[in-house]
C-alpha cells in the first residue's frame, strides 16, 4: 500500500467547537450558561508541529487492524522521533508505505496490520528510511 | 559566528522528499513559465544539462533519457 503526499499545512486554521457542559440544574437556567463553556480547537489537538505536519491519504487495507483504512487521511509529523510501536510512514524502494515500526534489540522491521501482509525486514545493506510518524488519522464516512 | 547551510540541488531535493520515486533519476526543476533549468539532480548534471539551460532546447531529453522536468513550486518550498 502507498500514499500520495500533498503539500503541508502552512497555518493550522482554528476550528472552534463548543464544548457542552451537561449538568442538571434546579431552577431557572441562566442565559449566561454558554459563557462559561470552553471551546475546543479541534485541529490543535490533532497536530503537534504544524510546520512539520503533512497530509497523506491511505490506499489499501494493510493496516486494518490498527484502525487505518483505505481513503483515510493521515496527519504525519516529521518532527517526532520515531520509536518502537509508532505507526510510521516509511520510504520503501522510493515509495511511501504506512506500517507499524518495530525496533527492538538493534533490529528493525515494519509490520502490517493485516495478516495477509508479510513483515518488511531490510536486507543487508538496505536502508529503511522512516519519513514521519502518524499522529492522527481522519476518517470521513460516505453520506451518499 | 555564523553558520551557512546550503542544500545540494535544492529545488530537486525538495521535490524528492515528497516523491521518493524521483531518487536516482535525472530530474530538473524549471523556472517560472517553465523557462529554463534552475535546479538539476546529479544524474541530470551527468547528462550535460547546464544551469539555466532553456527548456525548449532540452525537452527532447525527456523521451531519450527519461529526464523528468518539474515546474517550480515555490509555495511548497516555503516561499510565499
Amino acid at each position: 500500500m502507498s500514499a500520495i503526499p500533498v503539500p503541508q499545512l502552512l497555518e493550522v486554521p482554528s476550528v472552534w467547537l463548543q464544548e457542552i457542559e451537561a449538568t442538571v440544574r434546579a431552577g431557572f437556567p441562566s442565559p449566561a450558561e454558554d459563557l462559561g463553556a470552553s471551546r475546543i480547537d479541534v485541529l490543535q489537538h490533532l497536530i503537534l508541529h504544524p510546520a512539520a505536519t503533512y497530509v497523506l491519504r491511505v490506499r489499501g487495507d494493510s493496516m486494518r487492524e490498527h484502525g487505518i483504512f483505505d481513503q483515510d487521511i493521515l496527519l504525519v509529523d516529521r518532527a517526532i522521533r520515531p520509536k518502537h510501536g509508532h505507526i510510521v510512514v516509511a520510504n520503501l524502494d522510493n515509495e511511501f508505505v504506512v506500517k507499524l515500526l518495530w525496533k527492538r534489540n538493534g533490529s528493525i522491521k515494519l509490520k502490517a496490520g493485516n495478516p495477509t501482509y508479510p513483515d518488511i525486514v531490510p536486507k543487508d545493506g538496505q536502508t529503511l528510511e522512516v519519513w514521519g510518524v502518524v499522529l492522527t488519522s481522519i476518517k470521513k464516512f460516505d453520506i451518499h | 559566528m555564523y553558520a551557512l547551510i546550503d542544500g545540494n540541488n535544492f529545488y530537486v531535493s525538495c521535490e524528492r522528499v515528497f516523491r521518493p520515486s524521483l531518487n536516482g533519476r535525472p530530474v530538473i526543476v524549471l523556472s517560472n513559465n517553465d523557462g529554463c533549468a534552475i535546479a538539476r539532480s546529479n544524474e541530470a548534471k551527468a547528462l550535460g544539462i547546464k544551469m539555466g539551460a532553456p527548456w525548449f532546447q532540452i525537452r527532447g531529453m525527456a523521451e531519450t533519457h527519461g529526464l523528468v522536468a518539474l515546474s517550480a513550486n515555490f509555495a511548497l518550498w516555503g516561499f510565499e
Side-chain angles (χ1 to χ4, degrees):
Chain A
M1 88 116 265
S2 57
I4 299 172
V6 163
Q8 66 194 94
L9 301 165
L10 286 175
E11 280 162 35
V12 181
S14 288
V15 178
W16 295 102
L17 294 185
Q18 208 79 18
E19 184 177 13
I20 300 170
E21 236 186 278
T23 52
V24 176
R25 296 185 193 281
F28 191 79
S30 162
E33 210 170 56
D34 281 337
L35 241 58
S38 56
R39 301 188 290 176
I40 304 173
D41 186 357
V42 176
L43 284 184
Q44 227 58 57
H45 285 96
L46 303 179
I47 296 173
L48 260 187
H49 308 110
T53 298
Y54 300 86
V55 181
L56 278 72
R57 189 183 294 277
V58 176
R59 283 214 305 250
D61 56 2
S62 69
M63 291 294 278
R64 254 186 355 220
E65 288 168 4
H66 299 291
I68 294 175
F69 300 88
D70 188 69
Q71 298 308 309
D72 282 359
I73 293 163
L74 301 180
L75 302 185
V76 183
D77 191 319
R78 300 196 76 204
I80 295 176
R81 185 180 296 270
K83 292 205 308 230
H84 171 82
H86 281 171
I87 294 180
V88 298
V89 170
N91 182 344
L92 197 72
D93 298 331
N94 288 331
E95 198 187 58
F96 286 138
V97 294
V98 58
K99 295 283 174 284
L100 182 84
L101 180 67
W102 183 272
K103 201 167 147 187
R104 278 272 142 96
N105 304 324
S107 78
I108 190 168
K109 58 183 171 183
L110 296 177
K111 298 177 80 81
N114 183 327
T116 62
Y117 287 77
D119 289 357
I120 297 166
V121 186
K123 309 183 216 339
D124 276 332
Q126 203 180 25
T127 48
L128 191 62
E129 191 203 315
V130 174
W131 193 83
V133 176
V134 175
L135 187 64
T136 302
S137 140
I138 299 174
K139 172 176 221 62
K140 278 178 73 166
F141 293 94
D142 189 5
I143 49 159
H144 301 110
Chain B
M1 177 100 66
Y2 292 92
L4 189 67
I5 299 171
D6 185 54
N8 291 336
N9 320 321
F10 191 67
Y11 296 151
V12 170
S13 301
C14 287
E15 294 291 337
R16 282 174 162 176
V17 169
F18 300 104
R19 263 177 77 176
S21 59
L22 296 176
N23 288 339
R25 296 162 66 185
V27 181
I28 60 172
V29 172
L30 302 173
S31 61
N32 284 321
N33 208 26
D34 292 348
C36 54
I38 53 173
R40 309 150 295 150
S41 73
N42 290 338
E43 298 80 8
K45 289 177 184 172
L47 289 178
I49 298 170
K50 296 195 180 344
M51 178 57 88
W55 173 232
F56 76 90
Q57 286 181 355
I58 55 172
R59 63 191 322 149
M61 300 186 81
E63 283 272 333
T64 57
H65 292 88
L67 176 67
V68 178
L70 303 171
S71 296
N73 193 349
F74 296 109
L76 171 62
W77 311 324
F79 305 93
E80 285 303 8

